[in-house]
Amino acid sequence: MKKEIDISEVPFEDGEYCVFDFETTGTSPFNDRVIEIGIVKIKKGKITDTFQSLINPEMSIPAFITEMTGITNEDLVKAPTFEKIFPEIEKFFGSSVLVAHNFQFDYSFLKSECKNLYLNPPQNPSICTVQLARRLYPELKSKSLGILVRHLKIRHRNVHRGLGDSMATAKIFIKMFNLLRNEHNIETISDLINFQKTPGSALVYRIIKKKLADDLSSLPSSPGVYFFKDKREKIIYIGKAKSLKQRVSQYFLNNAPKKIKEIVRKAERIGFTPTNSELTALLKEAELIKIHFPHYNTMLKQYSKNYFIKILLTHNAPTAVQTNDFFFDGNDYFGPYSSKQTAKILLEIIDRTFRLRECSDKEFSKKKKCYLADIDRCLAPCVQNIDNDYKNELDLVYEFLAGENQWAVNRLLNRMKELAQKQKYEEAANVRDLVNEILHQIHKTSILAEPINKAKVLFEIRGYNSPDYILLINGKMTIKNEMKLENDDFTISLQDYFNGSIFRSQDLDKNDLEKLKIALNWLIKNKESVRVHYLKDYNSIEQLYAAQIFH
């Protein structure tokens, strides 16, 4: 038997995990057998390796299993038996933490197959993504793989196949990392293993300190920022919540992470500031942490990656590139897009549809015409002065990224006809696929139709009691404060905009950049709670208010 692995202090995001899934002849580990395994290895939050094999069950497969999986008896004739494949499985698992969706089901088959061969099953630590989902997504009625991939917008290929299902589970698990870290303060693998136990089975701490108990009972269910104070009234931890009462109550659960238990032991009082929405709570949290520097807010909060299309205005003959971050650096950024694949497809559409250069600055400086110019895919600004034509082409790219797709579709359709006439059917089919991507509205997956750094918009955020209003002008964000009815920054910024006196993005600092990054990360994940009002559609503050946007 393997020696138990000491994982108590390993940061959970640095851990190594093997996500596995079995396809079987039925649902009983005593009577049925394994016919396929798929394993996905995760290291430091990234998928690094996969393993897949059909397995000969040495019995016939029921017809309904073939219909569901596509695996036939003929497919398994030359497949290895479990006895032959097990050493490879065990080697691939190594000392990693084992993960599965409904772990007990898959592990019961693993134990049964090992028992039949008088082998010891792996004793690695384990994580069940169904149990994690119960804690992280209580609003979902079902925690099935299909429901979760739709909820988290994950592409699930090869459904009901070992590697397809384990890959989907791995992506779900990685998506959970941000919530585990930022919402539930999970730090180590042992924290994570304890956390997966459902709250219903967790005994609540007996709160000995009466003031803590009184503070906890007084918390509202609204969004907001909460803070724990020590006996000297010093703030030792700050957090944000969609529901203050529900979130802070979790600090007193028996299976709370080690760090949380320590905060509770040190704390004497709980304070809070309510907000209208989770977004304004996030922004308030970041602001207060910078003011108070609480001892237990040691980990700089990280947010899930977003992706952008960057227009390199600071380069000769600007071109478009894909990036996973943005800055106030003189370039224009469209996005964010929550999926790397979306940004990649958008960039491919731009490259294949519009005649901007695609070469590096080094190649461009050589002033040599390339083959892309010969096939009319580039205007060749490297060898001729075509500033006006190039600017017009760039304007068309901006229109496309802003949601205007007809011009791009027309150009691609004409190109597809030309290729078909030349009997270049494969190339024509590729162009057709790009047209389909456009028609699927892929370019409208961003929250904004203007470059982020130049956007002039009013965000209306669905709130707990009333909406929140956030103004974004050239990268500067201001929040409407209901407590200040006049001469507040929000109103002044609006007045400046309509008076034609607005600041430039180069006047902004790193705090403005951080606030915008926090907001965009939240907005792209909560688009259904957001309305975007473009200030260019209004001629005055009076017209904006007359539109009855403000409630």
Side-chain angles (χ1 to χ4, degrees):
M1 184 179 291
K2 289 184 179 179
K3 184 180 179 182
E4 189 173 344
I5 305 157
D6 181 13
I7 56 165
S8 58
E9 297 303 323
V10 177
F12 82 93
E13 288 174 298
D14 291 343
E16 179 178 303
Y17 305 89
C18 276
V19 185
F20 72 102
D21 179 81
F22 285 129
E23 296 303 322
T24 63
T25 59
T27 58
S28 169
F30 303 105
N31 302 317
D32 296 305
R33 302 293 300 276
V34 169
I35 58 174
E36 185 181 36
I37 185 171
I39 315 175
V40 176
K41 184 165 288 186
I42 298 172
K43 289 183 180 179
K44 296 191 173 182
K46 294 185 178 180
I47 293 171
T48 59
D49 201 359
T50 60
F51 176 90
Q52 185 272 337
S53 178
L54 292 171
I55 299 172
N56 189 336
E58 300 178 295
M59 64 181 288
S60 182
I61 306 175
F64 78 93
I65 293 294
T66 295
E67 185 177 346
M68 183 171 66
T69 65
I71 300 172
T72 66
N73 286 305
E74 290 74 22
D75 293 330
L76 301 176
V77 171
K78 295 183 179 179
T81 61
F82 191 87
E83 183 177 13
K84 289 185 178 178
I85 200 70
F86 180 67
E88 293 183 52
I89 294 172
E90 197 171 31
K91 181 179 178 182
F92 195 89
F93 280 164
S95 59
S96 63
V97 178
L98 302 186
V99 181
H101 199 68
N102 193 356
F103 184 86
Q104 287 306 317
F105 176 84
D106 290 281
Y107 191 66
S108 66
F109 272 92
L110 182 58
K111 286 196 299 182
S112 180
E113 292 284 0
C114 288
K115 184 179 179 181
N116 292 338
L117 298 168
Y118 302 99
L119 299 169
N120 291 318
Q123 298 297 312
N124 304 41
S126 64
I127 293 291
C128 176
T129 50
V130 170
Q131 291 185 4
L132 286 180
R134 287 177 184 144
R135 295 291 312 270
L136 297 177
Y137 311 112
E139 71 277 12
L140 297 180
K141 292 182 179 179
S142 168
K143 309 304 184 291
S144 69
L145 195 61
I147 293 293
L148 285 172
V149 295
R150 284 195 291 275
H151 178 69
L152 298 173
K153 299 176 182 177
I154 290 169
R155 186 172 292 184
H156 187 182
R157 295 188 178 93
N158 300 318
V159 181
H160 296 309
R161 293 300 300 265
L163 190 56
D165 288 356
S166 59
M167 183 64 75
T169 303
K171 290 178 179 179
I172 288 170
F173 184 50
I174 292 170
K175 283 260 190 180
M176 291 174 167
F177 279 15
N178 288 304
L179 273 178
L180 290 164
R181 182 199 332 105
N182 296 327
E183 299 286 339
H184 298 278
N185 297 287
I186 302 302
E187 293 187 345
T188 66
I189 292 176
S190 59
D191 284 344
L192 181 57
I193 290 170
N194 290 330
F195 176 79
Q196 67 184 321
K197 299 172 186 175
T198 57
S201 65
L203 297 175
V204 177
Y205 272 120
R206 183 175 156 199
I207 307 174
I208 299 172
K209 302 170 187 174
K210 184 177 184 303
K211 289 181 179 178
L212 269 185
D214 291 342
D215 290 342
L216 181 61
S217 65
S218 69
L219 290 172
S221 296
S222 67
V225 177
Y226 59 91
F227 32 91
F228 286 89
K229 300 178 184 177
D230 64 15
K231 59 186 176 183
R232 297 189 302 270
E233 287 289 305
K234 182 178 175 62
I235 293 175
I236 59 174
Y237 184 76
I238 296 172
K240 67 88 189 167
K242 290 181 184 178
S243 168
L244 287 164
K245 182 174 287 293
Q246 181 180 347
R247 178 69 188 98
V248 179
S249 294
Q250 293 174 354
Y251 280 67
F252 300 94
L253 295 176
N254 193 40
N255 62 351
K258 179 181 176 183
K259 174 182 171 181
I260 296 304
K261 291 179 180 177
E262 188 174 343
I263 291 171
V264 170
R265 280 197 298 270
K266 297 280 187 181
E268 293 289 329
R269 301 300 302 262
I270 305 168
F272 69 94
T273 300
T275 61
N276 282 332
S277 69
E278 183 190 18
L279 175 55
T280 44
L282 259 173
L283 294 169
K284 189 70 176 176
E285 177 197 34
E287 177 187 324
L288 289 174
I289 287 173
K290 285 193 176 111
I291 294 171
H292 296 283
F293 296 103
H295 174 72
Y296 288 101
N297 288 95
T298 51
M299 226 166 62
L300 181 64
K301 287 217 173 186
Q302 301 172 34
Y303 298 94
S304 57
K305 273 189 177 181
N306 289 312
Y307 300 89
F308 306 86
I309 297 297
K310 178 179 180 180
I311 309 297
L312 296 170
L313 297 180
T314 54
H315 297 230
N316 291 324
T319 188
V321 296
Q322 178 185 326
T323 180
N324 60 7
D325 206 350
F326 77 93
F327 305 94
F328 298 137
D329 57 4
N331 297 302
D332 280 350
Y333 292 82
F334 283 89
Y337 307 100
S338 58
S339 161
K340 183 178 182 180
Q341 183 67 13
T342 297
K344 182 180 178 181
I345 292 171
L346 274 170
L347 186 60
E348 183 182 2
I349 291 171
I350 291 169
D351 288 344
R352 298 283 299 275
T353 309
F354 304 98
R355 296 179 295 171
L356 301 184
R357 73 178 177 96
E358 300 172 42
C359 58
S360 66
D361 286 347
K362 183 178 179 180
E363 288 299 314
F364 182 75
S365 65
K366 293 178 181 179
K367 299 186 180 300
K368 291 183 179 179
K369 190 175 179 181
C370 71
Y371 80 98
L372 291 178
D374 294 332
I375 62 173
D376 198 30
R377 187 162 151 173
C378 177
L379 288 172
C382 55
V383 295
Q384 53 188 334
N385 185 4
I386 49 164
D387 289 350
N388 287 335
D389 290 343
Y390 201 86
K391 182 182 180 304
N392 290 337
E393 200 72 14
L394 196 61
D395 288 342
L396 291 171
V397 172
Y398 275 60
E399 287 179 14
F400 168 70
L401 290 172
E404 300 295 329
N405 64 20
Q406 193 57 55
W407 196 95
V409 168
N410 290 344
R411 178 181 273 188
L412 286 172
L413 287 174
N414 289 333
R415 189 168 297 167
M416 186 173 69
K417 289 176 184 176
E418 291 173 5
L419 290 168
Q421 288 170 358
K422 295 177 182 178
Q423 297 185 340
K424 295 182 178 180
Y425 299 117
E426 187 174 345
E427 292 179 47
N430 290 335
V431 174
R432 179 203 60 209
D433 292 342
L434 289 180
V435 172
N436 287 335
E437 292 287 2
I438 295 174
L439 295 178
H440 285 145
Q441 307 293 304
I442 190 168
H443 58 306
K444 292 186 179 180
T445 57
S446 172
I447 195 73
L448 286 170
E450 298 178 351
I452 297 163
N453 49 297
K454 293 178 180 175
K456 300 168 184 65
V457 298
L458 173 68
F459 293 111
E460 181 181 350
I461 315 293
R462 187 189 305 154
Y464 183 71
N465 289 317
S466 60
D468 267 326
Y469 299 97
I470 298 179
L471 196 62
L472 174 61
I473 300 178
N474 287 5
K476 182 75 171 180
M477 293 183 64
T478 50
I479 302 171
K480 183 174 175 59
N481 189 335
E482 298 295 344
M483 303 301 292
K484 294 170 68 177
L485 300 179
E486 54 184 35
N487 296 324
D488 61 302
D489 292 341
F490 182 90
T491 304
I492 291 169
S493 295
L494 266 181
Q495 289 171 340
D496 287 345
Y497 169 78
F498 286 111
N499 290 336
S501 173
I502 58 174
F503 44 78
R504 299 170 299 169
S505 59
Q506 54 260 45
D507 297 329
L508 304 177
D509 58 26
K510 64 181 182 180
N511 290 330
D512 292 305
L513 183 62
E514 183 187 9
K515 279 175 65 176
L516 186 50
K517 287 183 177 182
I518 290 171
L520 288 172
N521 185 76
W522 187 91
L523 289 165
I524 194 64
K525 292 190 293 187
N526 296 274
K527 290 198 296 183
E528 69 285 351
S529 300
V530 183
R531 289 177 64 195
V532 182
H533 306 279
Y534 292 92
L535 296 184
K536 65 184 179 182
D537 296 334
Y538 303 90
N539 296 321
S540 65
I541 291 182
E542 291 73 23
Q543 193 180 56
L544 188 65
Y545 277 82
Q548 297 185 336
I549 292 169
F550 300 103
H551 304 297

